[in-house]
Amino acid sequence: MQPHANTACLAEDELLALGHGRSLAESPEAERHLADCATCSALLAAIVREPPAWDALAGTALGPYRLDAQIGAGGMGAVYRAWDHRLDRTIAIKVLHREATATRLNSEARAAAAVDHPAIVGIHDVGVVDGTAYVAMELVDGESLRSVIERGALPPKRTRELALELLDGLAAAHARGVIHRDLKPENLIVARDGRLRILDFGLAKLLDGTPLDATEPGTVQGTAGYLAPEQARGEPADARADLFATGAILYELATGRRAFPGATHADRLSATLRDSPPLDELGELAPVVARCLHKEPRERFQSAADLAWVLRGASAAAIPVAPSRRALLVGGAAALAGIAGLGGFLLGRRGAAVQPRRPVFRQLTFRTGRVYTARFTRDGSRLAFGAAWDGEPLRAYVFDLAARSATPLEVAGDVLSISTRGQLASAQQLRFTDHQSATGTLAIAALAGGMPRVIAPDVQDADFAPDGSLAIVRRGATGFRIELPLGTVLVESAGWLTHARVSPSGTHVAFLEHPHTNDDAGDLKLVEISTRRVRVLATGWASIAGLAWDPDGRSVWFTAAHDHGQNEVHTVALDGTQRTIAQTTGRLRLHDLAPDRRAAVTVDTWRLRAMIGERGHSERDASLSEASFVTDVAADGSMILAAELGSAETSSGAYLVPFAGGRALRLGDGFPLAIAPSGHRVAVSLLEAGAPRLVIYSTDGGERPTVAAPGLISAARWIDDATLVARSKGQLWRLALDRPPVALTAAAGAGELAIDPARQRCAFVDAAGRVRVIELATGAATTLPGMFTGHAICGWLASGRIVLRTATTPIQLTQLDPATGGREPLFSIEPPAVGLKAVDAFVIHPDGARYAYSYGQELSQLHVMTLEA
């Protein structure tokens, strides 16, 4: 046999060794090459004395399975259609013909079985029989994505649909710490129903460092043309390698051509490391694909959920509309007001066309928890910050940047500001009082040590002016206000004011203004202290959080995003000129700038978690995605109604979640509001063609009637299986399946509604903090004695008493007698402490024992960011 002319192929002696007993498990690189090279595979088959024929195992038994016919083959073995005698079902069996490969196949099964998701082919069993390893898996009727692509490029809409299904499956796997590392069209199946399914987690590895196979750093993994550059270099790979492969697949779907073509394995490998494919044909997908295929992992999308978010934004009109993920991740009872189309991916920004600089991060903290606020000392050598780690109470620390060590301070609270004289302003006993707004007792102490001196209660933000006076943010009569000095109102707003920072000259205060404490959208504004004149510096941000004055005092730095969750670092000069100075990924929040313009930033992860519990028993986390919002509990207590607003592990939409545990039922798109008394119907608010609608899903399939509604419904409860009471346009309405809406009252307050067990009365907390009860038959209203400011309605007990809960934690539940106005405590609940923000929703069953709630969780790590020239 003559040596092959292609130097990328296997050498003759290596082929001879493999053909005469050397295991492929001992030569993973050779196995990968054989899976991709028809020439070497044919030569090896000629060397092997008795190569297995097609259908070699058809008609035989493999453990409890009967192998009927071979339906596919790959580098590691063959796939058979099989019959499972135990469960009387047709399945697929993947077999390997050498026992030495059992470990590799077992790792594939472990990785795939770790994730239960509709986009991932399910694993039933794994085993070895008489030296033959096998995996029993779900049989998917369809064709490989390779076959689909060979017919030509797909339309843009279909390209995005398939990519989003792939990303949903990857997001679920990555959330469990599993990466695929060999994504390619051959490993993806388009089922008969048109949905995409992921096969072959054969190269998967748990991110916690436990290898699922024999692979070590320094070996090349994956298929040339789809593997990421770091894989090609033999370096460790993480989830971002899967996103590189996704970009290559997305390119191929849209163009019908490979992103990194080549006649040989070596050619494709070189193209991956060296070239970038032409993007002219991709249209609006061009910047998305370019970012996926970046050679450096840190420049790609950092999660499958982020990439899916951007792809949905690139086709908002074609995607069922869901509540704004940004608003609802931080949201509250008014979160439904955030229902809107998903934002697009924009590379352009307002202001001068300045090339963004590359940010370089130095991570300072590594514990689990949340960093609240961080401030540089005057010389920039140290960082003081407040953090709550591992469920412990919030306290202040000082990080010495030269020594790389953090020292706890005597201050048990958050760091708000550091004066030029080394005084530390802190927030003691900080607690969330309204969604994202947290207040505490303002105190001052020397940074070097000493007991804090109490200055003022209920302060949200504070910042030292150059003269040592303090600008603070706290609640006003109708909203929030900025005071400078204390007691003198500088700015007052009906919205939510945050991040007040005094300029180095002491002449201006920059601040952020948001519509509500449940929404971080908003504007950056500037007030001149001497005239109290307020003007807008930067407006129209979908998310804006964190700002700091440039040391020269001529501009303000801030972190914000126009239409998606990927915050970027911007500056705005006092004349309003804006520029983007650094593009980043994830939830980046700017805290402060050192004199040399090093930035103190946190990288934040936001979640909205759903908890289900029963008085006297342990709670369980029932979240299905990164944003789970509970809205109702079934009359029989068997189900919880929840909105899933994220995409990490499941599709967004309305879900019924079994109280006792088990598989959740997805009803459809939209934001669920209430379960009917029978449990057979669920009311859902939905935007269709840009218009709000109230639709009714049947829990047992079939009907989907639309109820006439006066506008967007923000809360509702069923009166009977055909009638609801609902809030819309600030009023309460009676809605029926077969009649037009009827107004019950002109003032409906905000937050949740509660309906009595007889379903004759409805209760809510009005804008003044009073509990009002409405007779549903007549609309007659009764105002109960007492004030309940800072409380929300969460249910009506079988005993006839109304249940309210506090906005702050621990959650204090109070039962109110509507006949006498008497009140008494019911019980209290302490949500999980790690990263805890506010409790945004709470529902309780009439038995007074079963309940569910959603709370915000923010986890963060502190970094120092510098910008490369």
Side-chain angles (χ1 to χ4, degrees):
M1 184 175 66
Q2 298 297 318
H4 198 274
N6 179 6
T7 58
C9 288
L10 299 178
E12 180 178 357
D13 57 349
E14 186 170 12
L15 284 169
L16 288 170
L18 291 171
H20 293 100
R22 182 180 174 188
S23 169
L24 284 176
E26 300 171 30
S27 305
E29 290 182 286
E31 180 182 359
R32 283 188 292 276
H33 179 76
L34 288 167
D36 200 49
C37 181
T39 300
C40 287
S41 296
L43 289 173
L44 180 62
I47 295 172
V48 177
R49 297 175 180 176
E50 296 182 2
W54 186 272
D55 260 352
L57 298 180
T60 66
L62 188 64
Y65 310 108
R66 184 189 71 225
L67 306 184
D68 292 334
Q70 187 172 334
I71 58 177
M76 289 191 293
V79 181
Y80 286 81
R81 180 183 292 106
W83 180 257
D84 184 346
H85 292 286
R86 297 171 301 179
L87 298 178
D88 291 335
R89 61 180 176 182
T90 300
I91 61 171
I93 295 285
K94 183 171 185 177
V95 300
L96 294 185
H97 303 300
R98 295 182 184 272
E99 185 173 9
T101 57
T103 301
R104 181 177 294 266
L105 189 61
N106 184 58
S107 49
E108 174 181 345
R110 287 174 53 203
V115 185
D116 180 15
H117 190 275
I120 297 176
V121 173
I123 299 296
H124 303 320
D125 185 22
V126 60
V128 179
V129 175
D130 295 331
T132 299
Y134 69 87
V135 170
M137 66 185 75
E138 177 186 0
L139 178 64
V140 179
D141 186 12
E143 61 178 332
S144 74
L145 189 62
R146 171 62 65 207
S147 298
V148 174
I149 293 173
E150 286 175 349
R151 296 196 290 269
L154 275 66
K157 180 180 178 182
R158 183 58 175 153
T159 294
R160 283 189 293 267
E161 288 174 348
L162 291 173
L164 286 168
E165 288 166 3
L166 169 60
L167 289 166
D168 283 347
L170 288 179
H174 295 169
R176 294 294 301 270
V178 177
I179 51 178
H180 193 292
R181 299 199 296 177
D182 193 25
L183 285 174
K184 54 188 175 183
E186 288 81 358
N187 281 340
L188 304 173
I189 291 180
V190 180
R192 294 294 181 193
D193 62 4
R195 293 185 176 274
L196 184 137
R197 311 292 299 279
I198 306 173
L199 286 168
D200 285 358
F201 273 79
L203 297 177
K205 179 179 180 180
L206 288 181
L207 290 177
D208 64 5
T210 304
L212 285 181
D213 55 27
T215 304
E216 296 292 342
T219 63
V220 178
Q221 302 171 348
T223 301
Y226 302 96
L227 56 79
E230 60 269 25
Q231 292 175 281
R233 293 189 293 264
E235 299 169 355
D238 59 21
R240 294 170 295 185
D242 284 351
L243 301 189
F244 184 94
T246 300
I249 293 167
L250 186 57
Y251 182 91
E252 201 164 346
L253 287 170
T255 65
R257 303 188 310 275
R258 294 185 183 232
F260 303 102
T264 68
H265 174 92
D267 291 340
R268 293 190 290 276
L269 204 63
S270 297
T272 301
L273 292 168
R274 179 189 65 233
D275 301 335
S276 295
L279 305 175
D280 299 345
E281 300 176 48
L282 296 180
E284 64 184 5
L285 291 177
V288 180
V289 172
R291 191 167 177 183
C292 289
L293 296 181
H294 203 287
K295 306 302 182 188
E296 293 296 328
R298 66 181 180 182
E299 298 297 333
R300 296 176 207 145
F301 294 97
Q302 298 299 290
S303 73
D306 290 342
L307 176 53
W309 175 251
V310 170
L311 277 180
R312 287 189 171 95
S315 167
I319 304 295
V321 179
S324 164
R325 185 178 180 182
R326 176 218 7 104
L328 285 162
L329 277 172
V330 301
L336 194 58
I339 292 182
L342 301 178
F345 179 72
L346 304 177
L347 291 183
R349 289 292 182 261
R350 305 173 185 177
V354 177
Q355 180 65 34
R357 298 160 67 187
R358 181 192 298 272
V360 178
F361 295 92
R362 173 187 171 190
Q363 187 168 342
L364 304 183
T365 61
F366 295 88
R367 297 173 66 184
T368 302
R370 181 186 177 200
V371 176
Y372 283 69
T373 309
R375 295 288 185 264
F376 281 106
T377 55
R378 185 181 183 183
D379 63 359
S381 65
R382 294 179 293 165
L383 259 177
F385 63 95
W389 299 125
D390 304 314
E392 298 172 357
L394 173 64
R395 68 178 306 171
Y397 299 82
V398 170
F399 194 101
D400 187 312
L401 296 171
R404 296 188 62 87
S405 63
T407 302
L409 298 177
E410 297 178 12
V411 177
D414 190 22
V415 170
L416 298 183
S417 184
I418 300 175
S419 75
T420 57
R421 299 177 180 177
Q423 290 183 307
L424 175 71
S426 64
Q428 309 281 302
Q429 299 173 329
L430 191 74
R431 61 177 185 169
F432 285 92
T433 56
D434 185 6
H435 302 303
Q436 294 185 77
S437 176
T439 64
T441 299
L442 176 63
I444 295 178
L447 183 59
M451 293 300 295
R453 176 168 54 92
V454 173
I455 300 296
D458 301 324
V459 172
Q460 176 189 269
D461 299 300
D463 192 46
F464 279 110
D467 63 4
S469 61
L470 276 164
I472 68 167
V473 178
R474 59 181 167 189
R475 277 195 176 276
T478 59
F480 285 78
R481 68 190 186 200
I482 299 174
E483 299 176 11
L484 178 62
L486 268 67
T488 300
V489 177
L490 186 63
V491 177
E492 194 156 18
S493 171
W496 179 35
L497 304 181
T498 66
H499 300 86
R501 302 297 300 273
V502 184
S503 66
S505 64
T507 58
H508 295 80
V509 176
F511 63 94
L512 305 180
E513 184 175 37
H514 313 275
H516 191 271
T517 55
N518 73 336
D519 194 342
D520 69 345
D523 306 325
L524 191 160
K525 294 188 174 184
L526 187 73
V527 57
E528 188 175 29
I529 296 172
S530 61
T531 64
R532 300 187 184 180
R533 184 171 66 93
V534 177
R535 58 192 177 95
V536 177
L537 283 183
T539 188
W541 300 94
S543 174
I544 181 168
L547 65 85
W549 282 90
D550 189 277
D552 66 13
R554 294 196 293 265
S555 63
V556 177
W557 294 39
F558 63 100
T559 37
H562 273 297
D563 296 285
H564 55 91
Q566 303 299 319
N567 284 3
E568 295 171 348
V569 184
H570 308 268
T571 64
V572 57
L574 299 188
D575 65 2
T577 302
Q578 294 179 38
R579 63 189 181 101
T580 302
I581 61 174
Q583 293 175 336
T584 64
T585 58
R587 300 285 319 181
L588 190 73
R589 180 160 47 104
L590 174 67
H591 291 261
D592 201 15
L593 289 174
D596 60 0
R597 293 185 175 84
R598 285 171 298 147
V601 300
T602 50
V603 178
D604 303 334
T605 301
W606 288 358
R607 288 200 64 183
L608 192 63
R609 306 183 76 104
M611 305 297 293
I612 291 178
E614 186 171 2
R615 187 176 183 181
H617 296 77
S618 299
E619 296 178 344
R620 70 179 182 90
D621 190 335
S623 310
L624 298 179
S625 73
E626 70 268 41
S628 300
F629 197 94
V630 300
T631 59
D632 199 9
V633 56
D636 64 3
S638 64
M639 293 284 177
I640 297 296
L641 184 62
E644 292 300 330
L645 310 169
S647 60
E649 294 185 38
T650 190
S651 300
S652 61
Y655 281 79
L656 282 175
V657 182
F659 187 93
R663 192 175 184 86
L665 171 66
R666 186 179 187 272
L667 300 172
D669 295 325
F671 190 90
L673 298 168
I675 309 174
S678 67
H680 295 309
R681 285 177 167 172
V682 171
V684 175
S685 187
L686 184 66
L687 284 180
E688 292 184 333
R693 301 179 66 189
L694 185 66
V695 300
I696 309 301
Y697 288 131
S698 171
T699 59
D700 47 16
E703 62 175 351
R704 186 189 154 182
T706 299
V707 177
L712 182 67
I713 304 298
S714 61
R717 287 293 180 260
W718 288 86
I719 300 171
D720 54 47
D721 270 31
T723 317
L724 300 104
V725 57
R727 181 191 297 111
S728 178
K729 298 180 177 180
Q731 295 180 255
L732 278 188
W733 301 78
R734 187 184 183 97
L735 309 180
L737 269 63
D738 54 356
R739 292 187 296 275
V742 176
L744 291 175
T745 179
E752 294 302 317
L753 305 174
I755 193 165
D756 73 326
R759 305 199 177 258
Q760 297 176 348
R761 294 175 293 171
C762 177
F764 59 88
V765 177
D766 67 14
R770 299 169 300 181
V771 175
R772 302 188 69 194
V773 177
I774 306 298
E775 298 291 337
L776 296 176
T778 64
T782 302
T783 301
L784 301 186
M787 298 297 294
F788 289 90
T789 304
H791 286 70
I793 290 277
C794 53
W796 205 316
L797 302 181
S799 64
R801 297 188 175 188
I802 300 168
V803 181
L804 299 101
R805 56 99 177 173
T806 57
T808 59
T809 56
I811 307 167
Q812 305 288 348
L813 298 176
T814 299
Q815 47 185 331
L816 175 66
D817 189 335
T820 65
R823 65 179 83 176
E824 60 182 86
L826 187 58
F827 58 93
S828 65
I829 295 165
E830 187 71 72
V834 177
L836 175 65
K837 296 183 75 173
V839 173
D840 294 287
F842 194 102
V843 294
I844 189 167
H845 188 264
D847 64 9
R850 284 171 283 187
Y851 61 88
Y853 63 92
S854 293
Y855 73 96
Q857 182 188 61
E858 180 177 312
L859 302 178
S860 54
Q861 299 294 348
L862 182 62
H863 298 70
V864 169
M865 182 187 77
T866 56
L867 300 177
E868 290 184 346

